Amino acid sequence: MQQGEAEGDRGGRGLIKSPTDMMAGVFMVVFGLFCLWASSNLSLGRGANLGPGSFPRGLSLLIMGVGAIIIVQALTVVGPKLEAWSIRGPIFVLGSVVLFAIAVRPLGLVIAGPLCLIFASFASREIRWVENLVFAVLMTTACILLFKVALKLPIPVAPWAGW
């Protein structure tokens, strides 16, 4: 690439200099607005007595502020163009969350944990079975130790075994 081409490319981008940053900033602002709406029925509290809505709304405003900064940057600083992305990743990752929600009560964490982690690994075209199985077992063990043993949460670990 010649130097003249790089300069011409910079000027030819139009108003949005970094489409990738613009999409990220817009997503953050929209997500912040959604969180504000979702927490709108929670009380803010008064004075030093913060209510249950104070943290979610404050965090929403921070997310929206960072998104606005990224949008301004996308309008002023040349960055990468928006690339095509595959729907495979979001489908398998979100699908694994739904699978876990459906499977955790009847099957317990012992089965649902590895099942959803293995399912999420299909988000990549390069599946490494041994590494995924080891990761699934270690992560499930860590979740059992954290949620059942340390935090004593009423999450079913192995309902068929009474635990």
Side-chain angles (χ1 to χ4, degrees):
M1 179 185 282
Q2 305 256 349
Q3 186 174 356
E5 291 177 20
E7 290 173 5
D9 184 35
R10 236 180 257 156
R13 288 256 179 124
L15 179 64
I16 301 172
K17 307 288 187 218
S18 178
T20 302
D21 289 345
M22 177 60 82
M23 291 305 294
V26 168
F27 174 79
M28 291 179 74
V29 169
V30 169
F31 182 69
L33 287 170
F34 171 77
C35 292
L36 275 176
W37 170 79
S39 65
S40 64
N41 62 344
L42 298 174
S43 169
L44 282 174
R46 295 214 167 128
N49 296 328
L50 297 177
S54 299
F55 182 75
R57 288 189 194 156
L59 191 59
S60 298
L61 293 173
L62 285 173
I63 290 171
M64 289 171 37
V66 170
I69 291 169
I70 292 173
I71 288 172
V72 169
Q73 181 178 348
L75 296 172
T76 58
V77 178
V78 176
K81 293 182 179 177
L82 196 58
E83 296 179 15
W85 52 278
S86 171
I87 193 73
R88 180 184 181 121
I91 284 177
F92 280 104
V93 171
L94 292 174
S96 73
V97 173
V98 172
L99 180 63
F100 181 80
I102 292 169
V104 72
R105 288 208 189 270
L107 302 176
L109 191 56
V110 168
I111 303 295
L115 184 66
C116 80
L117 289 168
I118 296 299
F119 187 80
S121 71
F122 286 105
S124 171
R125 294 188 191 278
E126 303 168 5
I127 299 173
R128 297 183 182 142
W129 290 106
V130 174
E131 288 91 343
N132 286 335
L133 289 172
V134 169
F135 176 73
V137 168
L138 291 175
M139 191 59 120
T140 301
T141 303
C143 287
I144 291 170
L145 291 172
L146 174 64
F147 297 120
K148 190 67 175 183
V149 177
L151 298 175
K152 296 181 180 24
L153 295 177
I155 187 166
V157 175
W160 64 88
W163 194 49

